[in-house]
Amino acid sequence: MSKKESFVKGTLILAAAALVARVLGLAQRVPLEHLFDSVGNASFGVANNIYLMLLAVATAGIPSTLSKMVSERYALNREEEAQQVYRAALLFAGAAGIIITILLYIGAPYFATNVANLPEAALAIRAIAPALLLFPATAIIRGYFQGRNYMMANGVSQITEQVARVVTAILLAYLLMKHGSNNTTMAAGASFGSVIGSIAAFAIMLYYSLKLRRDDKKAALNYAPAPKLPMLGIYKDIFKLSIPIVLSSLTVPAVNLIDNSIAIPLLIDQVGRDAATTTLGYLTSRAQSVAGIPPILAIALSASLIPIISAAFARRDHDHLKRQVTLALRISILTGTPIVLSLVVAAYSINGLLFKSLDGSGIVAMLTLGTIFQITMMTTNSILLGMGKSRISMYYVLAGIIVKLVASFFLSKVFGIYGIIGATALCFIVITLLNIRTLKSVVNFSIMGKRWGGFAMAVMASGGIGYMLNEAGIMLTQVMPARLAFLLTCLVVGATVVIIYLVLLIVLSVISREEVVSYPKALQKLLKPLMKLQPERARMND
């Protein structure tokens, strides 16, 4: 096992793995969207979202809790206690996996019929249920590796999981279609891909666990004897932290599940059942797939951040804590924004490139636009969790969910599906603002200080130019094959938005010379030629 990764390196490892996994996930949804009709798309989306929701419940937030508890104990040289906590968490994961799998399998028809208002989804939900047998244990092992600051194993397992899941899902759906199965059965076959993915992910984490144990022995890492901790005491400490954490980490799955549950009931009187089901399919199979790309770095950042913040907090290293909070928020905002902009302004072309029709482009664009607030919400949530303020974070998430439910009801009456999506963005904004207010009371940090004006100019200029290029690119469909035109447009728009955005950040001194020195060497080499564009007197202004 290689030496522990740094915060930035660990974040980049998880970000790269998450990017590959997300691209594979999108690669899965594209052919499935072409194979399925509206019922198949909606059924697969409902099954996948309830699975993600219950996966978080099955692990009860323990991976994040375990990461925090392990990192704190290693920082204080209490390694044997960390091992005892790890073993207790694994036992819980095994029991939770069995219970949640049985409940999901039995309750699938009830949820599909009475909650999602889509009875056809019951078979897909049952097909995905066995994946919950192994994933809780896999998540616990990942949490342990995060706590010890070894991120490579987690990255490899994520990629392996997605490859197995994607290949199985597409292959089964295609074979079932060839055998004349209906879309309900095909959606169930695609959902079963998650079961194969869970087996692959568990196998990888088991391999790395054995490897880490051997490396610890080679390094003569002898844990100092420690009193045996009572099992009930361990679980009490775990659940005291994990219950608030799970409620905080459930925000995005809960929002997606809420949309799956309320979209058809809220829209059916306005547009009819068939149109409402089709709209739900656009939301789950198209919009949620594309909108899942921008938060990739924030997800990786959050996973890397919790043990780093926890260790600094345990050592009472206030200066280091302030630097890490500031760095995390800057990275999440500055890197997430150009991705969001590119996907939003090119939403029409992306829809035309990936999917079988241009319908739902507005849904893709609006849901993706709101992910910038999802990114800030996830980052600030993780910082609060690392500081041990999971209970406060839980209350804020509950407040955001309430806002989501109420706003969805009222806004959908006027704006239809766009009102439901707007309520999602409002939920993320409320949670972010509440989180930042609490963080400010603990750490005196500044994200960008007086540089917000330059940042806003970079966003508006790059986004505006990207939008005009997308509109011009659409005209290419009149002189060449549509998908080729959309592909060229997406490439040009994405590259242009990112380049203009980066150049403007430097020219407008949003990124300073002093700040670049603290970046990884590879990033320094990339930015060094561009820094010549910055005025000599430009300095970071906090």
Side-chain angles (χ1 to χ4, degrees):
M1 181 72 63
S2 61
K3 65 179 182 179
K4 295 182 180 181
E5 293 94 359
S6 67
F7 167 46
V8 174
K9 184 179 179 181
T11 298
L12 292 177
I13 289 172
L14 290 182
L19 177 60
V20 173
R22 188 69 67 180
V23 169
L24 288 171
L26 184 59
Q28 168 191 266
R29 298 299 282 267
V30 172
L32 290 181
E33 204 268 348
H34 285 271
L35 291 173
F36 292 152
D37 59 15
S38 60
V39 172
N41 278 317
S43 297
F44 181 76
V46 168
N48 195 56
N49 283 329
I50 188 175
Y51 160 72
L52 293 175
M53 177 84 171
L54 288 179
L55 177 60
V57 174
T59 54
I62 295 180
S64 296
T65 302
L66 184 64
S67 171
K68 174 180 169 59
M69 295 175 73
V70 167
S71 64
E72 287 177 346
R73 282 163 173 76
Y74 270 85
L76 299 174
N77 297 317
R78 292 156 54 186
E79 294 88 350
E80 177 56 32
E81 285 190 14
Q83 295 299 312
Q84 293 183 45
V85 172
Y86 177 40
R87 289 191 289 269
L90 281 174
L91 288 175
F92 171 81
I98 295 172
I99 294 171
I100 295 295
T101 297
I102 294 173
L103 291 177
L104 180 58
Y105 188 87
I106 294 174
Y110 175 84
F111 178 88
T113 302
N114 299 300
V115 180
N117 201 11
L118 189 67
E120 297 88 345
L123 189 60
I125 295 173
R126 280 186 163 173
I128 208 171
L132 288 167
L133 280 171
L134 290 178
F135 253 134
T138 302
I140 295 302
I141 301 174
R142 286 175 177 172
Y144 174 73
F145 273 75
Q146 288 174 14
R148 290 196 62 179
N149 232 10
Y150 293 111
M151 304 301 183
M152 184 61 72
N154 295 3
V156 173
S157 72
Q158 286 181 38
I159 295 173
T160 306
E161 169 200 333
Q162 283 289 70
V163 170
R165 184 172 73 89
V166 168
V167 171
T168 304
I170 296 174
L171 183 60
L172 285 178
Y174 178 77
L175 291 176
L176 287 169
M177 182 187 70
K178 286 296 184 181
H179 281 79
S181 300
N182 59 25
N183 264 248
T184 300
T185 305
M186 289 167 59
S191 296
F192 189 76
S194 293
V195 179
I196 304 302
S198 71
I199 295 172
F202 180 77
I204 292 296
M205 292 311 300
L206 186 60
Y207 164 77
Y208 274 102
S209 295
L210 295 174
K211 189 174 187 297
L212 178 59
R213 182 180 299 179
R214 291 195 302 267
D215 289 347
D216 283 348
K217 289 182 179 180
K218 287 181 180 178
L221 185 61
N222 297 316
Y223 297 135
K228 184 174 179 58
L229 300 176
M231 192 69 74
L232 289 179
I234 293 176
Y235 284 131
K236 180 179 178 180
D237 290 340
I238 288 177
F239 288 119
K240 183 179 179 180
L241 289 170
S242 65
I243 291 176
I245 287 177
V246 70
L247 292 177
S248 298
S249 63
L250 279 175
T251 309
V252 176
V255 166
N256 289 338
L257 188 62
I258 288 171
D259 286 343
N260 290 157
S261 304
I262 67 175
I264 293 178
L266 289 180
L267 299 177
I268 196 168
D269 291 336
Q270 299 179 33
V271 298
R273 180 176 180 81
D274 289 344
T277 301
T278 300
T279 300
L280 177 59
Y282 293 151
L283 179 65
T284 57
S285 66
R286 301 187 183 190
Q288 289 179 1
S289 298
V290 176
I293 295 175
I296 288 174
L297 185 61
I299 294 171
L301 181 67
S302 299
S304 298
L305 192 61
I306 291 176
I308 299 294
I309 294 292
S310 297
F313 206 71
R315 295 192 305 265
R316 301 184 184 276
D317 190 345
H318 186 79
D319 290 338
H320 184 63
L321 184 64
K322 177 180 177 180
R323 287 194 300 271
Q324 294 300 333
V325 170
T326 302
L327 178 63
L329 286 170
R330 283 180 181 168
I331 289 175
S332 62
I333 293 173
L334 292 178
T335 58
T337 298
I339 303 173
V340 171
L341 281 176
S342 300
L343 294 175
V344 169
V345 299
Y348 186 88
S349 297
I350 292 171
N351 207 21
L353 172 65
L354 299 178
F355 304 111
K356 60 186 177 183
S357 73
L358 290 166
D359 299 326
S361 298
I363 296 174
V364 173
M366 188 166 180
L367 188 67
T368 305
L369 181 61
T371 57
I372 189 62
F373 304 111
Q374 178 186 339
I375 290 170
T376 56
M377 176 204 70
M378 294 173 70
T379 306
T380 52
N381 266 352
S382 294
I383 295 172
L384 287 176
L385 295 179
M387 291 180 176
K389 297 188 177 298
S390 53
R391 189 173 297 275
I392 294 175
S393 177
M394 174 187 71
Y395 293 144
Y396 292 164
V397 166
L398 290 176
I401 294 296
I402 292 172
V403 169
K404 161 65 181 174
L405 287 169
V406 174
S408 292
F409 178 80
F410 287 105
L411 293 178
S412 65
K413 300 296 183 183
V414 180
F415 303 106
I417 187 64
Y418 295 102
I420 295 175
I421 296 173
T424 297
L426 188 60
C427 166
F428 296 152
I429 292 171
V430 168
I431 298 173
T432 295
L433 293 176
L434 291 172
N435 285 348
I436 289 178
R437 187 184 68 171
T438 298
L439 288 175
K440 289 277 189 180
S441 68
V442 178
V443 182
N444 183 24
F445 68 94
S446 174
I447 302 175
M448 282 186 280
K450 296 180 180 180
R451 292 176 287 174
W452 283 110
F455 173 74
M457 291 176 63
V459 169
M460 290 186 290
S462 56
I465 293 172
Y467 177 79
M468 289 187 290
L469 286 173
N470 183 71
E471 291 298 302
I474 293 173
M475 298 179 184
L476 293 175
T477 58
Q478 300 175 8
V479 297
M480 65 174 63
R483 293 197 188 279
L484 178 58
F486 288 135
L487 173 61
L488 293 175
T489 301
C490 290
L491 294 175
V492 171
V493 170
T496 302
V497 169
V498 171
I499 291 172
I500 292 177
Y501 171 82
L502 181 58
V503 169
L504 288 177
L505 287 185
I506 294 172
V507 171
L508 297 173
S509 300
V510 179
I511 298 178
S512 69
R513 289 187 175 91
E514 290 83 356
E515 194 173 13
V516 170
V517 175
S518 64
Y519 288 176
K521 291 183 178 179
L523 195 54
Q524 289 185 38
K525 291 180 180 179
L526 175 65
L527 294 176
K528 188 175 180 180
L530 295 176
M531 293 308 296
K532 296 177 181 179
L533 300 172
Q534 191 172 87
E536 284 295 326
R537 295 184 179 180
R539 291 291 184 269
M540 183 171 61
N541 187 3
D542 288 328

